[in-house]
Amino acid sequence: MKLTVVGCSGSFPSAESACSSYLVEADGFRLLLDMGNGALGELQRHCGLYDLDAIFLSHLHADHCIDMCAYFVARYYRHEGGRCDPIPVHGPEGTEQRLTTAYADTPSASSMSEVFDFHTVKPGSFEIGPFSVHTEKVSHPVEAYGIRLEHGGRSLTYSGDTGVCDSLDELARDTDLFLCEAAFTHGKEDIPDLHLNGREAGETAARAGARRLVLTHIPPWTDPRTNLAHAREAFAGPVELAVPRTTYDI
């Protein structure tokens, strides 16, 4: 598998990064995890607009899904080559309604489904292209999912947005790369079931026995160096910060 960080800023885009979006490739198949603010523009550095094969939305907060409205325009109103066939979109209950409401002026109530083939995510195992997928609900104010992808004997786990929870520990068990949110700072914010801080991300990786930890979803108002230091205090394995346009071979 190849992972490319398209965007990694939390809550809103920074001057350096779009919001959450991660491209995962294997056997010529391209799966996008989330499409937050600014991600569609950045994505075009890494693949063509119509080269994606599937999309997974961890939850329906704007910083993880709002550029799907712009992507709807690109697919629905495409004239050269004709309208695109529907692309599979895996998201929580109500994804189609959420995107239709956010766009606010689709030609009809069903226009989104003319270019997006919506699949409702629930806890469990299934396949997306060449990937074996396992999803679990994580701790967040809205319905939210972490995802584990396996291919060729290797694994990638993406936390989405979450507080500390047992389901994330299990998703990340012995994973080769753990892409984990660390939006909060230890000793500063203490709001349960919302986000992890750097220390909690490190502790989760340690409990799970993850082989490598990459911290992501750090908002522009948070010092990522502090979160990185806290994660390294809790996890003995390799830890680094997600950076746009960085790639990882898994």
Side-chain angles (χ1 to χ4, degrees), residues 6-70:
V6 178
C8 55
S9 185
S11 299
F12 58 95
S14 71
E16 293 79 27
S17 178
C19 282
S20 292
S21 192
Y22 313 93
L23 181 64
V24 187
E25 301 172 78
D27 296 346
F29 190 96
R30 295 182 175 94
L31 169 64
L32 192 70
L33 307 179
D34 286 340
M35 194 185 283
N37 318 42
L40 186 61
E42 186 66 24
L43 177 66
Q44 293 170 74
R45 296 180 182 274
H46 308 290
C47 72
L49 275 174
Y50 309 109
D51 293 337
L52 290 178
D53 296 293
I55 299 167
F56 172 87
L57 300 177
S58 64
H59 65 292
L60 300 179
H61 279 156
D63 59 326
H64 291 258
C65 74
I66 201 62
D67 265 28
M68 290 290 291
C69 291

Side-chain angles (χ1 to χ4, degrees), residues 149-197:
L149 302 174
E150 297 184 354
H151 178 268
R154 309 292 280 178
S155 60
L156 161 67
T157 300
Y158 169 48
S159 66
D161 281 8
T162 181
V164 176
C165 57
D166 292 342
S167 57
L168 182 60
D169 289 7
E170 290 306 311
L171 269 182
R173 185 75 57 202
D174 298 322
T175 195
D176 292 295
L177 191 148
F178 185 23
L179 182 63
C180 186
E181 75 116 290
F184 285 166
T185 301
H186 177 67
K188 180 183 175 185
E189 301 107 337
D190 184 16
I191 306 171
D193 302 321
L194 182 57
H195 289 296
L196 299 169
N197 59 46

Side-chain angles (χ1 to χ4, degrees), residues 5 103 112 114 130:
V5 178
Y103 190 86
M112 283 281 173
E114 293 180 41

